């Protein structure tokens, strides 16, 4: 699968490189060919040549006598974002909105900027607009859900993740984020289901995506503790502690473990008994 992905990336790299060359040829024949500047700028963006994207988009804007072209503002805004020029980027997206208010991609890209600025309320507004004009784009639902999660609005986050999963049911990132929201609502059984779905779809990447995953493991441990399933509780607690040592102290007083806390296996994990290490190496 990895080789297929590399081949696909190489394919698109060659396509956009050739496209850029063709548009350059067109511009050399007609220096006022506005569409060629727009399309070459887009190709350069794919090739991560954001400065050239800005230059070509700016030239296209200058050649737009009727002032009706919104695409170069969107392309330039996204390139400026990639170069860390957030405020200039937002101004371009605003110009794009004024020319064509129904262009959902500009709201999507604007949301990226506000999220980068940690202005999650504005992020939500941007993705709400994007969803309004393109309701089937699962990525917009997913990203708005992330903004809700950042604001601890867990019910709204879950609702958006559910909608996103209708469009892409195998997205391990969405399943993981959903499990975090459910855990914070103390819906441990549902959180466990979501987490297991994330592991099912991408076991290698699920734990790498976000450091917050430590409390997903802790949530699983709590759930098994409440059910007095000792071995499963201890194994998940150990994983949580490896990711974040704070859970060792937290587990000593968490009432979810009251019924199993005095068990030797549980005590061994809390106090780093060598026997515990030997036990887990063989189970």
């Amino acid at each position: 699968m990895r080789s297929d992905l590399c081949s696909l990336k190489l394919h698109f790299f060659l396509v956009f490189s050739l496209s850029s060359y063709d548009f350059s040829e067109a511009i050399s024949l007609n220096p006022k060919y506005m569409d060629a500047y727009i399309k070459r700028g887009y190709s350069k963006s794919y090739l991560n040549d954001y400065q050239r994207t800005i230059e070509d988009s700016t030239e296209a804007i200058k050649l737009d006598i009727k002032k009706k072209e919104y695409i170069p503002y969107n392309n330039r805004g996204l390139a400026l974002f990639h170069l860390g020029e957030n405020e200039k980027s937002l101004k371009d997206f605003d110009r794009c909105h004024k020319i064509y208010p129904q262009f959902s991609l500009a709201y999507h890209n604007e949301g990226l900027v506000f999220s980068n600025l940690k202005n999650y309320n504005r992020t939500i507004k941007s993705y709400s607009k994007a969803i309004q004009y393109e309701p089937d784009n699962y990525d917009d639902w997913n990203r708005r859900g992330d903004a809700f999660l950042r604001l601890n609005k867990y019910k709204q986050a879950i609702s958006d993740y559910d909608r996103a999963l209708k469009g892409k049911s195998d997205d391990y990132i969405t399943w993981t984020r959903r499990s975090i929201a459910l855990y914070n609502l103390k819906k441990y059984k549902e959180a466990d289901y979501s987490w297991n779905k994330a592991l099912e779809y991408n076991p290698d990447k699920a734990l790498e995506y976000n450091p917050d995953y430590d409390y997903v493991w802790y949530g699983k441990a709590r759930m098994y503790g409440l059910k007095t399933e000792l071995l499963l509780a201890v194994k998940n607690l150990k994983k949580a502690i490896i990711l974040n040592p704070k859970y060792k102290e937290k587990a000593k007083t968490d009432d979810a473990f009251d019924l199993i806390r005095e068990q030797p296996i549980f005590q061994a994990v809390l106090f780093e008994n060598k026997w515990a290490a030997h036990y887990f190496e063989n189970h």
Side-chain angles (χ1 to χ4, degrees):
M1 183 176 290
R2 183 172 297 177
S3 61
D4 291 342
L5 182 60
C6 291
S7 298
L8 186 62
K9 287 182 177 179
L10 177 60
H11 169 75
F12 280 115
F13 177 83
L14 293 173
V15 167
F16 282 102
S17 296
L18 292 171
S19 296
S20 179
Y21 176 80
D22 289 342
F23 293 131
S24 295
E25 286 289 300
I27 290 169
S28 68
L29 295 173
N30 183 0
K32 294 186 178 182
Y33 189 4
M34 181 182 64
D35 284 349
Y37 283 106
I38 293 174
K39 291 173 182 176
R40 187 175 71 175
Y42 178 78
S43 297
K44 291 295 183 181
S45 180
Y46 186 87
L47 299 171
N48 298 329
D49 189 352
Y50 301 118
Q51 190 58 48
R52 288 294 300 276
T53 299
I54 292 169
E55 292 171 4
D56 279 351
S57 298
T58 300
E59 189 62 31
I61 290 168
K62 290 178 182 178
L63 292 170
D64 179 22
I65 299 173
K66 296 181 180 180
K67 305 301 178 185
K68 291 185 177 180
E69 287 294 332
Y70 56 91
I71 294 294
Y73 282 111
N74 177 72
N75 293 350
R76 189 173 72 176
L78 187 59
L80 286 164
F81 163 68
H82 284 299
L83 293 178
E85 298 283 355
N86 292 315
E87 297 304 324
K88 291 181 180 179
S89 175
L90 290 173
K91 288 180 180 178
D92 271 356
F93 293 133
D94 187 57
R95 292 188 184 102
C96 185
H97 299 329
K98 289 177 179 177
I99 298 171
Y100 185 30
Q102 293 81 29
F103 187 48
S104 64
L105 183 58
Y107 294 108
H108 171 94
N109 292 334
E110 181 184 70
L112 295 176
V113 181
F114 282 125
S115 181
N116 188 55
L117 293 171
K118 302 187 187 312
N119 188 338
Y120 300 117
N121 283 310
R122 289 298 302 272
T123 302
I124 289 167
K125 288 183 180 179
S126 294
Y127 285 118
S128 294
K129 275 289 190 180
I131 289 167
Q132 177 184 341
Y133 296 119
E134 193 176 352
D136 292 330
N137 188 328
Y138 72 87
D139 191 40
D140 290 332
W141 290 98
N142 195 39
R143 290 180 183 276
R144 191 176 73 170
D146 288 348
F148 279 127
L149 186 64
R150 292 286 187 177
L151 294 174
N152 299 329
K153 296 183 177 181
Y154 303 118
K155 290 182 179 179
Q156 293 97 318
I158 292 166
S159 178
D160 276 4
Y161 292 142
D162 286 345
R163 185 63 178 77
L165 288 167
K166 288 182 180 179
K168 194 175 191 308
S169 61
D170 62 348
D171 191 334
Y172 75 94
I173 294 173
T174 307
W175 282 111
T176 305
R177 293 297 201 186
R178 185 177 184 272
S179 71
I180 292 170
L182 286 161
Y183 171 72
N184 278 280
L185 291 175
K186 298 183 179 180
K187 295 185 177 182
Y188 302 121
K189 186 174 182 179
E190 294 176 57
D192 185 56
Y193 173 81
S194 287
W195 179 236
N196 284 329
K197 293 294 285 186
L199 293 175
E200 174 188 335
Y201 289 122
N202 200 325
D204 295 328
K205 291 291 185 181
L207 281 172
E208 298 177 9
Y209 181 71
N210 192 301
D212 289 341
Y213 289 170
D214 53 3
Y215 64 83
V216 175
W217 289 111
Y218 188 73
K220 290 183 70 174
R222 291 187 84 257
M223 181 189 71
Y224 289 124
L226 291 167
K227 294 165 64 176
T228 66
E229 296 187 24
L230 177 62
L231 297 183
L232 288 172
V234 171
K235 286 185 177 182
N236 282 281
L237 177 60
K238 185 175 176 66
K239 290 175 181 177
I241 291 171
I242 290 171
L243 290 169
N244 193 332
K246 73 176 184 181
Y247 291 110
K248 186 187 298 182
E249 292 301 316
K250 189 171 183 178
K252 291 177 182 179
T253 56
D254 192 330
D255 58 10
F257 304 117
D258 283 352
L259 297 177
I260 61 173
R261 184 173 289 107
E262 300 307 318
Q263 293 292 327
I265 296 173
F266 196 90
Q267 287 288 306
V269 173
L270 293 183
F271 297 100
E272 298 184 344
N273 190 299
K274 291 183 179 180
W275 174 82
H278 176 75
Y279 177 85
F280 282 107
E281 287 173 358
N282 293 279
H283 288 78

